[in-house]
Amino acid sequence: MDRVSVSFPIYDARSRSIKKRVLTAAGRGRIATGESNHVVIRALDGVSLNIEHGERVGLIGRNGAGKTTLLRVMAGIYEPPAGTVEVEGRVAPLFDIGMGMDPESSGYENILLRGLYLGLRKAEIRAKIEEIAEFTELGEFLDMPLRTYSAGMFARLAFAISTSIDPEILLLDEGIGAGDEAFLEKAKRRLDALINRARILVLASHSDELVRKLCNRAILMQNGQIAASGSTDEMLERYHGKASVPASSPAHAAGEPVS
Amino acid sequence: MTSTLAYSASGENTLPRSSRFTKAVDDLRDGLNAWELWGTLGWHDLRQRYRRSTFGPLWLTLSTGIMAGAIGVIYSEIFGQEIHDYLPFLAVGLIVWGFISASIIDPCYVFILSEGVIRQVRAPLSIHIYRVVWRNLIVLAHNMVIYVIILVVFGIWPGAPVLLFIPGLLLLSISAFSTGLLIALLSARFRDLPPIIANITQILFLLTPVLWRTDQLTGGRRLIAQLNPLYHIVEVVRMPLLGKIPPASSWISVIVVVALSCVVTFWFYARFRARIAYWV
């Protein structure tokens, strides 16, 4: 990843409408139009980063520091307008485990849909379906529509599907919850196994414990830039040390409107 | 999931043109390859719409049938047309128009409604458009039941020209995909577009000879009606089904319009595909 920048255009209701474009073009000439009629937020600012095989990277930093955006760039969801990204290997983002779940469909149908979204073939999903079903312990409920599930049952299913993948590069965002106490222990083991299978892990988290336990390297993000990179202990210390000090240069602050 | 992703750019928004084009082509091809996904989603959408109703997707057929029957009886009286002649023409026209209007309106919201998925997993964006086209083809297939009923009731035998329905439908589907992709892309960026498009589609329905025929018009008006590209698209599908051979002028118009829309859409898609994830 070399000098990657990502900016988000924030269109409010006015600047997004064609009406304004047409009206300004027709009425007041070109002065009012142009690129400056929407706010741009610079979420990543010249980030350069190299992650090698076997590295378990923790992304730390305050809310809005650019952790999630960085993960999404790595996942190939946001293609950065500036900079280059090269990723070798199968990437699996695990951001929102409830993604693409349909409340009206049965548990089995949801397993199929979700698997297809993750890029699996039907045959591959069929091979996994039994294992997933068994893990959820939902039994006959898997034939019922999801809307009849309790929150805990829903979480079990979402978790089981999301973690049934075999990625080379695993991207995790924040904590992943999964149902009641008894299940939690089982879920933890499964997540650990998944993480161990992956050759590269990138985890964005606010939990020091999680970062210390899972990662062998940490990156401290600040204002859309990499503030520092090094061992987890060192970075966590720095993060907490800095947390009380206000952001260094407000001009570069992420969230600060540029133009 | 791809094995290697690579992006490069020198400055803001200036990916090299060739790379942008290659990536758009990759997206369209990978999207097509993911037919298991959009095929399932297309069916899923329809089952969803009629879940827990007694007739299920049969409602598609029933609704079109009721509409065609009611308009057929009333308008044949008003226009003083022979019902044996008018109702088949109208019913087939409505079936084709149903496909066309859904192909214009559905793409308006397709990226916006799939926002969650677009921002969670990396998948070719074109799958959403394949899904819409596929879904509307399934609806069309359901409505063809009405066509068959009409053939039986009115004792019509279309003969060999009915085979021309296949190239007609193919052209119709390609144009549904290319215009759909463009509409979806523009609607993701300009949120006023969906209601504007919905209104335009209403007007186009009245302007396109579905309820009426061009031979009811004379002189200049008839000429104007024939300038409407949708007229020709309807004709290349409707005429074969009614046992007539569409004129060469209609085929040529349709092929030119489809080719043009493919070129325009491809340019837009290559240029703005990467931005869609930021827009939704």
Side-chain angles (χ1 to χ4, degrees), chain B residues 216-237:
Chain B
Q216 287 169 284
L217 300 175
T218 49
R221 288 186 183 167
R222 191 162 174 178
L223 205 69
I224 292 170
Q226 288 181 342
L227 286 177
N228 176 1
L230 285 175
Y231 162 64
H232 299 287
I233 290 186
V234 170
E235 281 300 63
V236 298
V237 185

PDB file of all heavy atoms in Angstrom, chain B residues 216-237:
ATOM      1  N   GLN B 216     -53.490   4.437 -36.302  1.00  0.00           N
ATOM      2  CA  GLN B 216     -54.588   5.318 -35.922  1.00  0.00           C
ATOM      3  C   GLN B 216     -54.180   6.777 -36.103  1.00  0.00           C
ATOM      4  O   GLN B 216     -55.005   7.676 -36.019  1.00  0.00           O
ATOM      5  CB  GLN B 216     -54.993   5.090 -34.469  1.00  0.00           C
ATOM      6  CG  GLN B 216     -55.741   3.780 -34.244  1.00  0.00           C
ATOM      7  CD  GLN B 216     -55.881   3.470 -32.766  1.00  0.00           C
ATOM      8  OE1 GLN B 216     -54.946   3.054 -32.105  1.00  0.00           O
ATOM      9  NE2 GLN B 216     -57.084   3.691 -32.241  1.00  0.00           N
ATOM     10  N   LEU B 217     -52.901   7.001 -36.314  1.00  0.00           N
ATOM     11  CA  LEU B 217     -52.393   8.357 -36.502  1.00  0.00           C
ATOM     12  C   LEU B 217     -52.208   8.622 -37.996  1.00  0.00           C
ATOM     13  O   LEU B 217     -52.096   7.696 -38.799  1.00  0.00           O
ATOM     14  CB  LEU B 217     -51.046   8.543 -35.810  1.00  0.00           C
ATOM     15  CG  LEU B 217     -50.992   8.327 -34.309  1.00  0.00           C
ATOM     16  CD1 LEU B 217     -49.555   8.427 -33.836  1.00  0.00           C
ATOM     17  CD2 LEU B 217     -51.859   9.340 -33.587  1.00  0.00           C
ATOM     18  N   THR B 218     -52.136   9.898 -38.334  1.00  0.00           N
ATOM     19  CA  THR B 218     -51.902  10.222 -39.741  1.00  0.00           C
ATOM     20  C   THR B 218     -50.751  11.213 -39.869  1.00  0.00           C
ATOM     21  O   THR B 218     -50.442  11.941 -38.929  1.00  0.00           O
ATOM     22  CB  THR B 218     -53.153  10.860 -40.384  1.00  0.00           C
ATOM     23  OG1 THR B 218     -53.584  11.902 -39.515  1.00  0.00           O
ATOM     24  CG2 THR B 218     -54.246   9.844 -40.596  1.00  0.00           C
ATOM     25  N   GLY B 219     -50.143  11.214 -41.044  1.00  0.00           N
ATOM     26  CA  GLY B 219     -49.144  12.217 -41.421  1.00  0.00           C
ATOM     27  C   GLY B 219     -48.014  12.390 -40.438  1.00  0.00           C
ATOM     28  O   GLY B 219     -47.370  11.426 -40.031  1.00  0.00           O
ATOM     29  N   GLY B 220     -47.798  13.656 -40.060  1.00  0.00           N
ATOM     30  CA  GLY B 220     -46.657  14.025 -39.231  1.00  0.00           C
ATOM     31  C   GLY B 220     -46.646  13.313 -37.894  1.00  0.00           C
ATOM     32  O   GLY B 220     -45.597  12.896 -37.400  1.00  0.00           O
ATOM     33  N   ARG B 221     -47.834  13.154 -37.303  1.00  0.00           N
ATOM     34  CA  ARG B 221     -47.911  12.520 -35.992  1.00  0.00           C
ATOM     35  C   ARG B 221     -47.403  11.095 -36.048  1.00  0.00           C
ATOM     36  O   ARG B 221     -46.737  10.624 -35.129  1.00  0.00           O
ATOM     37  CB  ARG B 221     -49.350  12.516 -35.510  1.00  0.00           C
ATOM     38  CG  ARG B 221     -49.799  13.902 -35.129  1.00  0.00           C
ATOM     39  CD  ARG B 221     -51.159  13.839 -34.536  1.00  0.00           C
ATOM     40  NE  ARG B 221     -51.615  15.190 -34.225  1.00  0.00           N
ATOM     41  CZ  ARG B 221     -52.848  15.481 -33.928  1.00  0.00           C
ATOM     42  NH1 ARG B 221     -53.762  14.539 -33.916  1.00  0.00           N
ATOM     43  NH2 ARG B 221     -53.180  16.706 -33.649  1.00  0.00           N
ATOM     44  N   ARG B 222     -47.741  10.409 -37.122  1.00  0.00           N
ATOM     45  CA  ARG B 222     -47.323   9.037 -37.277  1.00  0.00           C
ATOM     46  C   ARG B 222     -45.799   8.966 -37.379  1.00  0.00           C
ATOM     47  O   ARG B 222     -45.156   8.097 -36.797  1.00  0.00           O
ATOM     48  CB  ARG B 222     -47.947   8.494 -38.551  1.00  0.00           C
ATOM     49  CG  ARG B 222     -47.808   7.010 -38.675  1.00  0.00           C
ATOM     50  CD  ARG B 222     -48.816   6.569 -39.690  1.00  0.00           C
ATOM     51  NE  ARG B 222     -48.700   5.169 -39.998  1.00  0.00           N
ATOM     52  CZ  ARG B 222     -49.515   4.556 -40.842  1.00  0.00           C
ATOM     53  NH1 ARG B 222     -50.473   5.239 -41.436  1.00  0.00           N
ATOM     54  NH2 ARG B 222     -49.366   3.295 -41.092  1.00  0.00           N
ATOM     55  N   LEU B 223     -45.250   9.920 -38.099  1.00  0.00           N
ATOM     56  CA  LEU B 223     -43.804   9.983 -38.282  1.00  0.00           C
ATOM     57  C   LEU B 223     -43.116  10.180 -36.926  1.00  0.00           C
ATOM     58  O   LEU B 223     -42.120   9.529 -36.602  1.00  0.00           O
ATOM     59  CB  LEU B 223     -43.468  11.141 -39.223  1.00  0.00           C
ATOM     60  CG  LEU B 223     -42.154  10.993 -39.981  1.00  0.00           C
ATOM     61  CD1 LEU B 223     -42.258   9.875 -40.995  1.00  0.00           C
ATOM     62  CD2 LEU B 223     -41.791  12.313 -40.663  1.00  0.00           C
ATOM     63  N   ILE B 224     -43.697  11.104 -36.146  1.00  0.00           N
ATOM     64  CA  ILE B 224     -43.115  11.383 -34.826  1.00  0.00           C
ATOM     65  C   ILE B 224     -43.150  10.139 -33.954  1.00  0.00           C
ATOM     66  O   ILE B 224     -42.167   9.788 -33.291  1.00  0.00           O
ATOM     67  CB  ILE B 224     -43.864  12.551 -34.144  1.00  0.00           C
ATOM     68  CG1 ILE B 224     -43.577  13.846 -34.912  1.00  0.00           C
ATOM     69  CG2 ILE B 224     -43.436  12.705 -32.686  1.00  0.00           C
ATOM     70  CD1 ILE B 224     -44.437  15.017 -34.500  1.00  0.00           C
ATOM     71  N   ALA B 225     -44.297   9.437 -33.996  1.00  0.00           N
ATOM     72  CA  ALA B 225     -44.431   8.221 -33.191  1.00  0.00           C
ATOM     73  C   ALA B 225     -43.349   7.218 -33.556  1.00  0.00           C
ATOM     74  O   ALA B 225     -42.840   6.478 -32.711  1.00  0.00           O
ATOM     75  CB  ALA B 225     -45.807   7.614 -33.379  1.00  0.00           C
ATOM     76  N   GLN B 226     -42.987   7.210 -34.849  1.00  0.00           N
ATOM     77  CA  GLN B 226     -41.991   6.235 -35.287  1.00  0.00           C
ATOM     78  C   GLN B 226     -40.565   6.639 -34.937  1.00  0.00           C
ATOM     79  O   GLN B 226     -39.640   5.854 -35.079  1.00  0.00           O
ATOM     80  CB  GLN B 226     -42.137   5.996 -36.789  1.00  0.00           C
ATOM     81  CG  GLN B 226     -43.399   5.191 -37.057  1.00  0.00           C
ATOM     82  CD  GLN B 226     -43.619   4.888 -38.499  1.00  0.00           C
ATOM     83  OE1 GLN B 226     -43.032   5.536 -39.365  1.00  0.00           O
ATOM     84  NE2 GLN B 226     -44.467   3.921 -38.784  1.00  0.00           N
ATOM     85  N   LEU B 227     -40.405   7.888 -34.498  1.00  0.00           N
ATOM     86  CA  LEU B 227     -39.073   8.316 -34.058  1.00  0.00           C
ATOM     87  C   LEU B 227     -38.771   7.813 -32.649  1.00  0.00           C
ATOM     88  O   LEU B 227     -37.638   7.844 -32.200  1.00  0.00           O
ATOM     89  CB  LEU B 227     -38.969   9.843 -34.096  1.00  0.00           C
ATOM     90  CG  LEU B 227     -38.860  10.448 -35.492  1.00  0.00           C
ATOM     91  CD1 LEU B 227     -38.842  11.961 -35.395  1.00  0.00           C
ATOM     92  CD2 LEU B 227     -37.612   9.947 -36.205  1.00  0.00           C
ATOM     93  N   ASN B 228     -39.806   7.375 -31.949  1.00  0.00           N
ATOM     94  CA  ASN B 228     -39.644   6.889 -30.585  1.00  0.00           C
ATOM     95  C   ASN B 228     -38.940   5.532 -30.608  1.00  0.00           C
ATOM     96  O   ASN B 228     -39.479   4.557 -31.103  1.00  0.00           O
ATOM     97  CB  ASN B 228     -41.045   6.778 -29.966  1.00  0.00           C
ATOM     98  CG  ASN B 228     -41.029   6.184 -28.580  1.00  0.00           C
ATOM     99  OD1 ASN B 228     -39.971   5.859 -28.047  1.00  0.00           O
ATOM    100  ND2 ASN B 228     -42.214   6.039 -28.003  1.00  0.00           N
ATOM    101  N   PRO B 229     -37.727   5.450 -30.071  1.00  0.00           N
ATOM    102  CA  PRO B 229     -37.002   4.170 -30.131  1.00  0.00           C
ATOM    103  C   PRO B 229     -37.743   3.046 -29.405  1.00  0.00           C
ATOM    104  O   PRO B 229     -37.633   1.882 -29.777  1.00  0.00           O
ATOM    105  CB  PRO B 229     -35.658   4.469 -29.458  1.00  0.00           C
ATOM    106  CG  PRO B 229     -35.849   5.747 -28.730  1.00  0.00           C
ATOM    107  CD  PRO B 229     -36.936   6.494 -29.412  1.00  0.00           C
ATOM    108  N   LEU B 230     -38.508   3.413 -28.361  1.00  0.00           N
ATOM    109  CA  LEU B 230     -39.239   2.377 -27.626  1.00  0.00           C
ATOM    110  C   LEU B 230     -40.292   1.708 -28.500  1.00  0.00           C
ATOM    111  O   LEU B 230     -40.622   0.540 -28.312  1.00  0.00           O
ATOM    112  CB  LEU B 230     -39.889   2.972 -26.379  1.00  0.00           C
ATOM    113  CG  LEU B 230     -38.939   3.270 -25.227  1.00  0.00           C
ATOM    114  CD1 LEU B 230     -39.686   3.964 -24.101  1.00  0.00           C
ATOM    115  CD2 LEU B 230     -38.299   2.000 -24.711  1.00  0.00           C
ATOM    116  N   TYR B 231     -40.829   2.472 -29.445  1.00  0.00           N
ATOM    117  CA  TYR B 231     -41.806   1.905 -30.369  1.00  0.00           C
ATOM    118  C   TYR B 231     -41.197   0.702 -31.083  1.00  0.00           C
ATOM    119  O   TYR B 231     -41.797  -0.362 -31.171  1.00  0.00           O
ATOM    120  CB  TYR B 231     -42.256   2.984 -31.364  1.00  0.00           C
ATOM    121  CG  TYR B 231     -42.924   2.450 -32.607  1.00  0.00           C
ATOM    122  CD1 TYR B 231     -44.130   1.755 -32.522  1.00  0.00           C
ATOM    123  CD2 TYR B 231     -42.361   2.646 -33.867  1.00  0.00           C
ATOM    124  CE1 TYR B 231     -44.753   1.262 -33.668  1.00  0.00           C
ATOM    125  CE2 TYR B 231     -42.966   2.159 -35.010  1.00  0.00           C
ATOM    126  CZ  TYR B 231     -44.160   1.461 -34.904  1.00  0.00           C
ATOM    127  OH  TYR B 231     -44.754   0.986 -36.027  1.00  0.00           O
ATOM    128  N   HIS B 232     -39.975   0.883 -31.581  1.00  0.00           N
ATOM    129  CA  HIS B 232     -39.334  -0.195 -32.339  1.00  0.00           C
ATOM    130  C   HIS B 232     -38.960  -1.369 -31.437  1.00  0.00           C
ATOM    131  O   HIS B 232     -39.054  -2.520 -31.833  1.00  0.00           O
ATOM    132  CB  HIS B 232     -38.106   0.340 -33.075  1.00  0.00           C
ATOM    133  CG  HIS B 232     -38.463   1.416 -34.062  1.00  0.00           C
ATOM    134  ND1 HIS B 232     -39.106   1.150 -35.246  1.00  0.00           N
ATOM    135  CD2 HIS B 232     -38.322   2.760 -34.009  1.00  0.00           C
ATOM    136  CE1 HIS B 232     -39.328   2.287 -35.901  1.00  0.00           C
ATOM    137  NE2 HIS B 232     -38.851   3.281 -35.162  1.00  0.00           N
ATOM    138  N   ILE B 233     -38.532  -1.047 -30.214  1.00  0.00           N
ATOM    139  CA  ILE B 233     -38.190  -2.132 -29.286  1.00  0.00           C
ATOM    140  C   ILE B 233     -39.425  -2.969 -28.982  1.00  0.00           C
ATOM    141  O   ILE B 233     -39.380  -4.200 -28.962  1.00  0.00           O
ATOM    142  CB  ILE B 233     -37.548  -1.558 -28.002  1.00  0.00           C
ATOM    143  CG1 ILE B 233     -36.165  -1.004 -28.333  1.00  0.00           C
ATOM    144  CG2 ILE B 233     -37.453  -2.629 -26.914  1.00  0.00           C
ATOM    145  CD1 ILE B 233     -35.351  -0.532 -27.169  1.00  0.00           C
ATOM    146  N   VAL B 234     -40.569  -2.286 -28.770  1.00  0.00           N
ATOM    147  CA  VAL B 234     -41.810  -3.021 -28.530  1.00  0.00           C
ATOM    148  C   VAL B 234     -42.151  -3.853 -29.767  1.00  0.00           C
ATOM    149  O   VAL B 234     -42.491  -5.033 -29.661  1.00  0.00           O
ATOM    150  CB  VAL B 234     -42.962  -2.054 -28.185  1.00  0.00           C
ATOM    151  CG1 VAL B 234     -44.294  -2.789 -28.172  1.00  0.00           C
ATOM    152  CG2 VAL B 234     -42.712  -1.409 -26.829  1.00  0.00           C
ATOM    153  N   GLU B 235     -42.015  -3.250 -30.930  1.00  0.00           N
ATOM    154  CA  GLU B 235     -42.407  -3.931 -32.165  1.00  0.00           C
ATOM    155  C   GLU B 235     -41.624  -5.220 -32.423  1.00  0.00           C
ATOM    156  O   GLU B 235     -42.203  -6.226 -32.807  1.00  0.00           O
ATOM    157  CB  GLU B 235     -42.245  -2.990 -33.378  1.00  0.00           C
ATOM    158  CG  GLU B 235     -43.371  -1.986 -33.547  1.00  0.00           C
ATOM    159  CD  GLU B 235     -44.749  -2.613 -33.751  1.00  0.00           C
ATOM    160  OE1 GLU B 235     -45.225  -3.304 -32.832  1.00  0.00           O
ATOM    161  OE2 GLU B 235     -45.352  -2.409 -34.804  1.00  0.00           O
ATOM    162  N   VAL B 236     -40.304  -5.185 -32.219  1.00  0.00           N
ATOM    163  CA  VAL B 236     -39.524  -6.393 -32.549  1.00  0.00           C
ATOM    164  C   VAL B 236     -39.858  -7.563 -31.619  1.00  0.00           C
ATOM    165  O   VAL B 236     -39.510  -8.701 -31.911  1.00  0.00           O
ATOM    166  CB  VAL B 236     -37.987  -6.155 -32.560  1.00  0.00           C
ATOM    167  CG1 VAL B 236     -37.611  -5.131 -33.612  1.00  0.00           C
ATOM    168  CG2 VAL B 236     -37.460  -5.782 -31.201  1.00  0.00           C
ATOM    169  N   VAL B 237     -40.496  -7.272 -30.496  1.00  0.00           N
ATOM    170  CA  VAL B 237     -40.909  -8.375 -29.628  1.00  0.00           C
ATOM    171  C   VAL B 237     -42.390  -8.708 -29.854  1.00  0.00           C
ATOM    172  O   VAL B 237     -42.786  -9.863 -29.916  1.00  0.00           O
ATOM    173  CB  VAL B 237     -40.668  -8.018 -28.145  1.00  0.00           C
ATOM    174  CG1 VAL B 237     -40.974  -9.214 -27.255  1.00  0.00           C
ATOM    175  CG2 VAL B 237     -39.223  -7.588 -27.931  1.00  0.00           C
TER     176      VAL B 237
END
